[in-house]
Amino acid sequence: MGNQQFGKILKVDLRKRSFHEIGIDKNVVQKYLGGPGFAIEYLMESKVFEYDPLSEHNPLIFMTGLLTGTSFPCSGFYSVSGRSPLTNIYGEGLSGGFFGAELRKTINGIIIEDKADSPVYLKIEDDHYELIDASDIWGLKTDKTMQNLRSKLGKQYKITTIGPSGEKMVPLASIINDHFRAVGRTGMGAIMGSKNLKAIAVKSSKKINYHDEKKFNEISKAIFLLFKNSAMADVLRNFGTNNIDYFERLADVPHKNWTLHKWKGVNDISGSIVLEKLHVRNRPCYLCPFSCGREIEIKEGPYKISNAACSEYETTAAFGSMCLISDVEAIAYLNHICNTMGVDTISAGCTIAFAMDCYEKGILTQDELGFPLDWGDADAAIKLLNLMCKNEGIGKILGKGSKRASEQIGKGSREFLTTIKGLEAPMHDPRAIYPLGLQYATSNRGACHLRGFANDLYSGFTGFNDALKISKEKSIRERTIDNPEFARDVAISQNLSEINNALGICRQTISSGSQIVENLFNLILDEIYYLTEIRISLAELMKIGERIFNLKRIFNNKCGVSRKDDILPPRLKFSLEKGRLKDKFLTIDLMLEEYYKFRGWNKEGVPSKQKLADLKIDHYS
Ligand code: SF4
């Protein structure tokens, strides 16, 4: 088995317009599997923590995971990493769809270096790479860019692109592929814009090399059928992830910028309402039997849209319950603006909620905004979102995200922030799910529900508990807020999340999949063997996850992150006056102390030399 077995990474220097292939050797696969693990090692090697995120020294790294594009279910995922222009620390986003699977057939990843003199797009067809003038598509929205490139190149090309917001280097900018699948969060689209790279189009006639394709496919097919026939697949196919009415019953949904305990509007924007009023058809990612992705349309009225993507739960809550907008069509329209302009929906919705809070308190005025911005005013939210996406008017400040906007606005507005390490917190309330507070506070890309499985553990989605020896002592639901076991469980679930992403498979494969398929982890280990001929144990697999997590932490330490940053903002801690969150003041101090101990970090949140040596990354300390 030569290097060919493990693939190659394409390095593109945009200024020199040169291409260089780097072979991936077995050791690197054993160390990181694929995906963000490769990326963070490259960012560390290049000392990117010393450079401005929008400078030519910040590479943008597209990586597929080890299983991406194979016959394994839901394996269409790729990651994009760099130093974040939103948070100034490690930045990363993952996306499904078909682009990653097509890329993996040709190359495992792309490192984009430096900056082009004028707009270009990268065309990849098997081993042929080309940078092509993009001046005629610069300025186009994401859907129009894809239409344009497909009409020029052919429908077989899979495309990932930035919209106008990425071109303008708006720090909330995302990267969009296929049917509005998004590399959201942390502003990777702004880095792409800073490099004058509009899009990447890929087509491949190649096949992935397997050590034993027949055995690999047998396992994949069995898992696919179990997933397809599960009750969870029924829920996801019908409602997507938008179970806001169910989450409301768990006191898990934030309202009015995290200040209200309850809001009737959730019943008007739930997945069942979307299914009844807007649904057109399911739009699954590559080899996905769950199909949470759906196409919607609004046939008439002010929010008329077609061929649009359905809002998932996070987006629905960010624009809906956070801004008190109870019009399901307006939320779909706001989501469509984000997708076509190329902006992250969670950060955009939360920043608008922050601005509504500031407006209510007289900190932002009608004169400054150009219009009134009352809670629940969907048309005002649309106006503001457009300004943020276009980097115009007050959008020049708010498009930087709520934390940096607050630094500019001042007047005590920081009290209304919901950010951790500069990233707006997602839409699950840690006052209802205690360990989620610890997960948010310690997540490497800032507050994140997707970098760990704390909410799944607490909700009873615990298919992986036995395999990972989580929750042995006492049921997680019975524990009080000061229980030190949370620390251990959160850390393990964060490491598992790194494995999930390094494999390039959808999160549902682990969270829902581990409930459906009893021995899922053993089957994944078998799949790794049948693909690569590398046999690893579950303990070794989890160590890979721990290694990736710690490497990202060291990168962040070098960006200035320490214990002072592993905190919750006031809005996520304070108890509410009424309801299930009454008297629930969330403190994570004890959990954090235990967490540092379990991780082998010192009191400042820096991994110890011994821990790094144990993980074989001590040369980065
Ligand atoms: S569950 Fe949803 S996000 Fe995951 S692979 Fe399927 S369609 Fe894509």
Side-chain angles (χ1 to χ4, degrees):
M1 305 292 167
N3 274 353
Q4 190 55 33
Q5 177 74 10
F6 302 104
K8 61 190 178 189
I9 294 177
L10 175 67
K11 199 164 159 181
V12 182
D13 187 314
L14 290 174
R15 193 173 301 275
K16 293 183 188 149
R17 301 178 77 89
S18 64
F19 304 100
H20 174 64
E21 291 176 356
I22 306 166
I24 298 174
D25 71 33
K26 188 176 174 181
N27 291 337
V28 181
V29 176
Q30 285 172 318
K31 210 168 168 189
Y32 297 116
L33 298 178
F38 286 177
I40 186 60
E41 180 164 87
Y42 190 84
L43 294 174
M44 287 297 293
E45 292 278 353
S46 311
K47 295 189 172 19
V48 169
F49 42 80
E50 292 178 356
Y51 299 107
D52 184 279
L54 295 178
S55 80
E56 66 273 26
H57 301 294
N58 188 16
L60 188 63
I61 305 176
F62 293 75
M63 282 301 309
T64 60
L66 185 65
L67 299 184
T68 303
T70 64
S71 62
F72 195 83
C74 313
S75 61
F77 276 69
Y78 71 104
S79 60
V80 185
S81 308
R83 185 174 187 183
S84 165
L86 178 67
T87 61
N88 220 18
I89 59 173
Y90 174 71
E92 162 189 293
L94 275 93
S95 177
F98 295 84
F99 172 82
E102 192 71 11
L103 185 68
R104 174 73 166 81
K105 286 192 264 169
T106 299
I107 42 178
N108 298 52
I110 311 167
I111 300 168
I112 305 287
E113 296 268 21
D114 215 325
K115 174 183 175 166
D117 294 330
S118 58
V120 292
Y121 72 90
L122 171 63
K123 182 180 137 189
I124 299 173
E125 183 180 352
D126 292 334
D127 295 328
H128 303 287
Y129 317 122
E130 202 178 344
L131 286 169
I132 299 174
D133 176 41
S135 48
D136 62 329
I137 51 172
W138 197 253
L140 290 186
K141 293 181 179 177
T142 59
D143 51 345
K144 299 293 176 216
T145 303
M146 288 194 218
Q147 276 169 22
N148 183 300
L149 289 180
R150 279 196 207 108
S151 71
K152 278 183 198 151
L153 305 174
K155 284 190 178 151
Q156 306 94 319
Y157 275 85
K158 305 296 178 216
I159 294 158
T160 193
T161 184
I162 52 170
S165 302
E167 294 171 12
K168 291 175 193 295
M169 293 176 261
V170 172
L172 301 186
S174 60
I175 301 171
I176 303 286
N177 60 283
D178 301 295
H179 190 250
F180 301 119
R181 290 283 159 191
V183 176
R185 318 251 63 196
T186 71
M188 294 299 102
I191 302 178
M192 199 159 158
S194 76
K195 297 187 172 306
N196 269 330
L197 179 64
K198 176 68 176 171
I200 301 173
V202 60
K203 184 178 91 168
S204 178
S205 59
K206 294 187 173 191
K207 285 190 165 171
I208 290 173
N209 288 326
Y210 293 82
H211 163 58
D212 189 333
E213 187 170 2
K214 189 166 172 282
K215 289 214 170 94
F216 187 99
N217 288 345
E218 276 169 15
I219 293 176
S220 293
K221 193 174 170 196
I223 295 175
F224 185 95
L225 289 175
L226 287 168
F227 283 1
K228 187 175 173 214
N229 297 323
S230 65
M232 183 54 79
D234 268 349
V235 173
L236 288 166
R237 271 194 291 267
N238 283 314
F239 309 119
T241 57
N242 181 3
N243 292 303
I244 194 166
D245 40 356
Y246 168 69
F247 294 143
E248 178 80 356
R249 290 200 288 278
L250 302 176
D252 185 27
V253 183
H255 317 108
K256 203 183 178 193
N257 205 24
W258 300 76
T259 59
L260 260 190
H261 74 286
K262 201 171 167 185
W263 180 58
K264 274 197 310 212
V266 294
N267 298 318
D268 300 322
I269 58 176
S270 67
S272 54
I273 300 290
V274 174
L275 182 66
E276 183 191 321
K277 293 189 170 174
L278 312 179
H279 182 90
V280 175
R281 61 177 164 143
N282 287 76
R283 297 284 295 243
C285 298
Y286 173 80
L287 283 185
C288 173
F290 295 125
S291 191
C292 77
R294 283 148 313 133
E295 180 183 323
I296 55 151
E297 76 173 336
I298 298 170
K299 291 199 172 100
E300 55 193 7
Y303 307 129
K304 187 175 168 191
I305 44 175
S306 59
N307 191 26
C310 186
S311 313
E312 53 179 315
Y313 164 69
E314 294 292 327
T315 308
T316 304
F319 287 119
S321 61
M322 279 285 278
C323 300
L324 302 189
I325 294 172
S326 57
D327 182 335
V328 74
E329 293 189 356
I331 292 170
Y333 192 76
L334 284 155
N335 184 42
H336 195 58
I337 293 172
C338 289
N339 285 341
T340 52
M341 294 296 286
V343 149
D344 179 58
T345 57
I346 301 177
S347 285
C350 293
T351 301
I352 292 172
F354 161 81
M356 285 176 166
D357 222 345
C358 289
Y359 179 73
E360 184 186 54
K361 310 290 185 322
I363 288 173
L364 274 177
T365 65
Q366 189 171 332
D367 273 357
E368 287 163 320
L369 289 160
F371 46 88
L373 188 64
D374 293 305
W375 294 107
D377 185 341
D379 291 333
I382 290 168
K383 263 188 214 158
L384 178 53
L385 179 60
N386 274 317
L387 290 173
M388 288 160 62
C389 291
K390 292 177 186 165
N391 200 29
E392 291 174 358
I394 190 72
K396 280 187 187 166
I397 296 174
L398 290 164
K400 290 177 180 160
S402 53
K403 177 167 181 272
R404 285 168 64 189
S406 162
E407 285 162 6
Q408 231 170 308
I409 294 165
K411 301 181 197 168
S413 59
R414 65 194 304 271
E415 284 301 304
F416 314 144
L417 287 177
T418 63
T419 51
I420 297 170
K421 300 186 180 77
L423 188 68
E424 288 75 14
M427 303 291 93
H428 294 279
D429 198 324
R431 289 167 296 193
I433 306 172
Y434 305 137
L436 196 54
L438 182 63
Q439 180 180 311
Y440 283 178
T442 54
S443 171
N444 278 317
R445 69 170 182 177
C448 187
H449 62 302
L450 298 175
R451 298 295 180 273
F453 290 92
N455 45 346
D456 301 71
L457 291 171
Y458 213 84
S459 310
F461 294 170
T462 52
F464 44 75
N465 281 13
D466 276 351
L468 301 185
K469 299 185 175 47
I470 285 178
S471 307
K472 277 290 179 201
E473 301 296 320
K474 194 173 194 181
S475 151
I476 202 156
R477 278 169 176 276
E478 290 167 27
R479 294 183 212 163
T480 55
I481 196 165
D482 54 355
N483 192 308
E485 278 183 37
F486 283 136
R488 177 181 170 280
D489 293 351
V490 166
I492 291 173
S493 86
Q494 287 172 323
N495 296 344
L496 176 61
S497 180
E498 296 295 354
I499 294 299
N500 189 158
N501 297 338
L503 291 171
I505 55 180
C506 177
R507 180 182 170 85
Q508 291 296 347
T509 317
I510 301 292
S511 62
S512 301
S514 62
Q515 298 170 70
I516 300 163
V517 182
E518 208 177 310
N519 57 343
L520 183 71
F521 288 114
N522 288 336
L523 293 175
I524 287 176
L525 293 170
D526 285 345
E527 291 290 68
I528 291 172
Y529 176 73
Y530 293 134
L531 178 66
T532 64
E533 208 184 352
I534 297 172
R535 181 59 83 185
I536 50 177
S537 66
L538 182 58
E540 286 165 336
L541 188 75
M542 292 307 293
K543 194 147 221 165
I544 293 172
E546 190 182 5
R547 179 177 298 122
I548 299 169
F549 190 91
N550 275 276
L551 204 44
K552 290 177 182 175
R553 178 69 181 193
I554 305 170
F555 183 93
N556 283 346
N557 289 149
K558 290 186 184 293
C559 293
V561 166
S562 65
R563 182 173 184 137
K564 69 181 184 330
D565 305 290
D566 294 340
I567 53 171
L568 297 177
R571 278 284 159 93
L572 271 66
K573 285 198 297 194
F574 292 138
S575 59
L576 297 178
E577 282 176 15
K578 291 181 189 164
R580 289 184 60 186
L581 300 183
K582 187 171 185 290
D583 299 330
K584 290 210 173 175
F585 179 86
L586 177 58
T587 169
I588 59 163
D589 290 353
L590 179 65
M591 285 194 261
L592 193 63
E593 212 170 288
E594 292 295 329
Y595 178 90
Y596 282 6
K597 271 191 226 160
F598 181 76
R599 280 241 177 253
W601 295 358
N602 69 18
K603 286 188 183 312
E604 276 306 300
V606 179
S608 67
K609 281 217 159 72
Q610 191 189 333
K611 171 54 71 180
L612 297 183
D614 179 43
L615 295 171
K616 298 188 173 46
I617 47 173
D618 42 328
H619 47 295
Y620 291 120
S621 64

